[in-house]
Amino acid sequence: MTDTEQFDEREQRAWFGFLTMQEDLRRHINRQLLEDSGLSLSDFSVLSALVQQPDGALRVFELVSLLRWERTRLIHQVSRMVSRELLERRPAAEDSRGSRVALTERGREAVRQATPLHLRDVRRTFFDAISPRQIDMLAALSEAVLDSIADQERNNQ
C-alpha cells in the first residue's frame, strides 16, 4: 500500500471520529426531535426549507438542490409527508407537467412548534460542547471541504 491508500493514526482518529460524531449526532437529534414534536429530522429538514420560501413551496428539483438529497429519497419523503397532511403537491404554474411541493397549514404549524425545541437541543448537544474558537474552526473546515467537493465535481464534468 502507498501512503495515499491508508490513513495515518492522526487521519484515522479525525476521519472515524468525524463519521462517528456525525452518525451519533444525527441519531440523537432525530430521536429528540421525534420525542419533542413527532417530526423526524428529515421531516424537519423539508418543512424548514419550505417555510423559508415566500409562498411555502418549491419544485422538486429545487428542493433536491437545497437539501442536497437524492431525488428518490425526496420523492419518498414527500409522499410520506403528504399522507400525513404536512405537505401537498400543487401544479407548477410555470410548467404544466411539473408540480410544486407546498406546506399545508398543518405542516407550517408543526415546524413552527418544533423549531424552538430543535434549536434548544442543537445548542445543548452541539454548540454548548465546543468553544467559540472550535465553532469558527468547524465553519472553516466545512467550507474548505465543500469547496473541494465543488471543485472535484466541476473538474469531472
Side-chain angles (χ1 to χ4, degrees), residues 32-96:
Q32 191 65 51
L33 195 53
L34 276 167
E35 185 179 305
D36 289 345
S37 68
L39 296 175
S40 69
L41 187 54
S42 295
D43 293 337
F44 187 81
S45 296
V46 172
L47 294 172
S48 293
L50 293 173
V51 81
Q52 294 176 42
Q53 304 309 308
D55 64 350
L58 285 170
R59 298 282 302 268
V60 169
F61 74 88
E62 294 170 318
L63 203 45
V64 162
S65 178
L66 189 62
L67 295 175
R68 299 172 183 253
W69 288 4
E70 296 295 327
R71 187 176 189 281
T72 305
R73 176 183 179 193
L74 180 66
I75 295 297
H76 288 295
Q77 181 68 36
V78 165
S79 293
R80 288 189 295 272
M81 294 175 76
V82 165
S83 71
R84 292 167 45 217
E85 299 179 353
L86 296 170
L87 300 177
E88 63 185 7
R89 290 185 180 93
R90 297 180 185 162
E94 64 275 9
D95 178 1
S96 62

Side-chain angles (χ1 to χ4, degrees), residues 8-23:
D8 64 29
E9 192 174 314
R10 182 179 183 203
E11 291 167 331
Q12 283 182 3
R13 178 175 174 244
W15 180 243
F16 292 111
F18 167 76
L19 292 178
T20 302
M21 179 205 57
Q22 180 186 13
E23 289 300 321

Side-chain angles (χ1 to χ4, degrees), residues 97-116:
R97 297 168 298 161
S99 64
R100 294 170 61 83
V101 176
L103 285 170
T104 61
E105 279 308 310
R106 186 177 189 170
R108 190 177 300 280
E109 182 60 19
V111 74
R112 187 191 68 72
Q113 289 181 12
T115 297

